């Protein structure tokens, strides 16, 4: 949604009150009109005085509002980041979740937790994997159209895998690839979002990254010698980043150590009893 810097106008149909937003709600104005009509009818019945109709006002009067002063419009263009803990968990679950993280450094399923105010009882929380990933601190970044191809961009993104955020920005500053300038602007936006959400910027790292074609490619004629011609294809891509904290790293390391400890050892020795002469692999 693109808004010009010139002043936009909005004509009012039923009142001369100042306009609050370009996104003014028409339904509320209809309700106000009905309530005004009901009040007028009640006053007419009580006093018998005639009240002027609001529909006879001059519709040519125009009220102006600047987009920069429009609070509702700015909320739509620049939405505030929110914490998923407040959205997905109840107050009790939120307390258990935060105390679990304080104890282990990450969320551990089915771990007995004691709350501060309630030392007698113990609580246990079990969450699915997709919900744990959603609750962990993260920042999602999405780019606009970037003049590059998937193959060229993917080379840069592979170099940034699992790097700390500030180190990734430093690496992009010294890369000779053209797409690195656009990626630097994206990651610097991630630093601003982290400051808004009170995250530790030094704790963030690039967990995942994607690149996909924009789809709207421009084609032009490529003139060649001897009356031949080809097609120039100007490619555009879109990039996305998922930034996470060391809390995710600790959880992944713990799951990896659990998998290694529970891994079965392959052995050719059977569990049965040895009868008679022992075969060759029992002689050591």
């Amino acid at each position: 949604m693109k808004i010009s810097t010139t002043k936009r106008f909005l004509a009012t149909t039923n009142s001369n009150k100042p306009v609050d937003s370009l996104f003014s709600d028409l339904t509320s104005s209809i309700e106000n009109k009905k309530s005004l009509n009901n009040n007028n009818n009640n006053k007419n019945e009580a006093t018998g005085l005639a009240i002027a109709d609001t529909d006879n006002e001059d519709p040519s009067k125009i009220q102006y509002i600047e987009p920069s002063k429009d609070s509702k419009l700015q909320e739509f263009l620049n939405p505030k980041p929110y914490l998923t803990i407040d959205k997905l968990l109840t107050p009790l679950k939120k307390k258990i979740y935060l105390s679990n993280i304080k104890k282990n450094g990450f969320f551990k399923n089915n771990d007995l937790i004691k709350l501060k105010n309630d030392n007698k009882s113990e609580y246990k929380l079990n969450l699915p994997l997709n919900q744990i990933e959603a609750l962990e601190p993260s920042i999602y970044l999405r780019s606009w159209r970037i003049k590059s191809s998937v193959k060229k961009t993917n080379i840069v993104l592979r170099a940034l895998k699992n790097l700390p955020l500030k180190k990734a920005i430093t690496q992009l500053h010294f890369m000779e690839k053209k797409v690195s300038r656009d990626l630097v602007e994206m990651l610097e936006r991630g630093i601003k979002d982290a400051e808004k959400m009170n995250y530790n910027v030094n704790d963030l790292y690039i967990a995942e990254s994607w690149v996909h074609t924009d789809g709207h490619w421009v084609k032009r004629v490529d003139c060649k010698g001897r009356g031949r011609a080809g097609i120039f294809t100007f490619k555009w891509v879109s990039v996305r980043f998922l930034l996470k904290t060391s809390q995710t790293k600790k959880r992944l390391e713990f799951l990896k150590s659990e998998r290694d400890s529970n891994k079965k050892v392959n052995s050719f020795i059977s569990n049965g009893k040895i009868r008679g002469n022992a075969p060759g692999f029992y002689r050591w």
Side-chain angles (χ1 to χ4, degrees):
M1 182 177 180
K2 190 176 180 182
I3 297 176
S4 61
T5 55
T6 57
K7 291 182 179 181
R8 300 232 177 150
F9 65 90
L10 184 67
T12 57
T13 56
N14 58 352
S15 66
N16 287 328
K17 293 180 181 179
V19 182
D20 293 333
S21 172
L22 293 173
F23 289 159
S24 59
D25 194 359
L26 296 177
T27 309
S28 62
S29 64
I30 293 168
E31 291 175 356
N32 292 334
K33 187 176 177 181
K34 288 180 179 178
S35 62
L36 284 172
N37 290 333
N38 292 331
N39 292 332
N40 292 340
N41 294 331
N42 294 332
K43 287 180 180 179
N44 287 333
E45 290 175 1
T47 60
L49 298 174
I51 298 174
D53 190 5
T54 56
D55 294 333
N56 297 327
E57 292 178 356
D58 188 7
S60 62
K61 291 182 180 178
I62 297 172
Q63 296 181 353
Y64 297 94
I65 182 169
E66 292 183 6
S68 59
K69 295 180 180 178
D70 190 350
S71 58
K72 291 183 181 178
L73 179 62
Q74 294 302 323
E75 266 183 45
F76 176 77
L77 293 175
N78 304 310
K80 292 181 181 179
Y82 63 91
L83 296 173
T84 51
I85 299 174
D86 301 329
K87 297 283 183 180
L88 298 178
L89 296 179
T90 59
L92 179 60
K93 282 186 176 181
K94 183 181 175 181
K95 288 180 182 178
I96 300 168
Y97 179 80
L98 292 174
S99 56
N100 194 330
I101 291 170
K102 192 175 180 180
K103 178 184 174 183
N104 303 313
F106 62 94
F107 178 75
K108 190 176 179 182
N109 263 334
N110 298 323
D111 193 16
L112 293 173
I113 300 296
K114 286 184 178 181
L115 299 178
K116 286 184 178 179
N117 299 328
D118 191 4
N119 295 324
K120 294 179 181 179
S121 55
E122 293 182 341
Y123 296 91
K124 187 167 63 173
L125 189 61
N126 187 10
L127 297 175
L129 181 61
N130 56 355
Q131 195 169 354
I132 293 171
E133 290 176 351
L135 288 169
E136 286 173 344
S138 61
I139 296 173
Y140 179 72
L141 300 173
R142 182 178 178 180
S143 72
W144 301 105
R145 300 183 75 194
I146 297 175
K147 182 70 177 66
S148 183
S149 66
V150 175
K151 188 175 181 181
K152 292 175 183 176
T153 311
N154 219 359
I155 295 169
V156 181
L157 294 182
R158 285 177 181 174
L160 303 178
K161 179 68 174 173
N162 291 330
L163 279 181
L165 180 58
K166 288 188 175 180
K167 191 174 181 180
I169 292 171
T170 307
Q171 292 292 328
L172 288 171
H173 278 302
F174 290 96
M175 280 188 182
E176 295 180 356
K177 298 291 183 182
K178 190 178 178 181
V179 73
S180 61
R181 180 178 294 178
D182 298 301
L183 298 181
V184 164
E185 292 178 1
M186 283 183 67
L187 296 178
E188 285 176 350
R189 267 195 286 130
I191 291 176
K192 292 179 182 177
D193 290 343
E195 290 172 353
K196 288 179 185 177
M197 300 179 74
N198 297 323
Y199 289 162
N200 186 8
V201 180
N202 299 321
D203 201 27
L204 290 171
Y205 77 100
I206 299 174
E208 296 180 36
S209 58
W210 304 269
V211 57
H212 56 88
T213 59
D214 190 79
H216 303 287
W217 291 355
V218 181
K219 294 185 178 180
R220 295 289 182 266
V221 178
D222 180 17
C223 299
K224 301 181 183 296
R226 299 183 182 181
R228 295 176 299 171
I231 297 174
F232 272 130
T233 306
F234 297 95
K235 298 177 182 179
W236 301 80
V237 296
S238 179
V239 182
R240 303 181 187 190
F241 282 108
L242 184 64
L243 310 178
K244 292 204 170 187
T245 59
S246 60
Q247 181 181 328
T248 308
K249 276 188 175 180
K250 290 176 183 176
R251 179 179 61 83
L252 294 174
E253 288 173 1
F254 171 74
L255 292 175
K256 186 181 177 182
S257 63
E258 265 199 339
R259 285 195 299 270
D260 293 341
S261 62
N262 295 332
K263 195 174 181 181
K264 292 182 179 179
V265 180
N266 294 326
S267 175
F268 298 101
I269 301 174
S270 62
N271 294 326
K273 294 180 179 180
I274 300 174
R275 295 179 180 177
N277 298 326
F281 48 79
Y282 281 106
R283 297 171 184 171
W284 51 76

